[in-house]
Amino acid sequence: MSGSDQIYVDYDMLEQTRKDIKNISDQMKKPCREMEKVDGAAMGVTELEARMDQFGDEWSHGIKQLAKFSDVASEALAEIKKGFEEIDTKYADALRNPQKGGGK
């Protein structure tokens, strides 16, 4: 097998990236909850109140979307890692038992 026929997957790096992305999602949830509590009426100026309420809603929606996408990305990386691990296991089994797995 030549060097170009090999695929190297750094599982530790893949898992760390997955954890980092999941952490982004977890960290986004608290400021999102806090921003939802902001009440424009506390500002005292009608126009500012309306804009603060609108900003809070927009900000909260954006942060929720980031958290959602981070969760999805984290789950996808976990599935990718699982898939590569299964391929590794099957390939190793085929190499150990060429008559069963069709390996060379």
Side-chain angles (χ1 to χ4, degrees):
M1 183 185 307
S2 71
S4 63
D5 294 331
Q6 297 177 13
I7 295 176
Y8 174 75
V9 178
D10 185 338
Y11 292 124
D12 292 335
M13 180 62 81
L14 187 62
E15 181 62 19
Q16 186 59 51
T17 301
R18 187 198 68 75
K19 286 179 181 178
D20 290 346
I21 290 173
K22 177 70 175 134
N23 189 36
I24 290 169
S25 172
D26 294 343
Q27 288 187 16
M28 291 294 190
K29 290 174 184 172
K30 183 179 179 192
C32 186
R33 286 190 303 269
E34 294 300 318
M35 196 61 184
E36 286 177 335
K37 295 177 189 175
V38 172
D39 181 9
M43 297 300 191
V45 178
T46 305
E47 193 172 317
L48 184 56
E49 290 173 21
R51 185 59 193 120
M52 270 308 291
D53 286 338
Q54 182 183 6
F55 171 77
D57 292 343
E58 291 169 0
W59 197 88
S60 177
H61 175 74
I63 294 301
K64 282 179 183 176
Q65 291 299 326
L66 284 172
K68 177 180 154 184
F69 295 143
S70 296
D71 281 338
V72 169
S74 175
E75 290 169 14
L77 286 173
E79 287 299 312
I80 289 168
K81 180 182 176 207
K82 180 181 172 186
F84 276 118
E85 288 172 334
E86 288 172 359
I87 290 169
D88 279 350
T89 300
K90 287 178 184 177
Y91 185 65
D93 288 345
L95 290 174
R96 280 191 291 272
N97 303 307
Q99 61 277 36
K100 286 185 178 181
K104 295 180 181 179

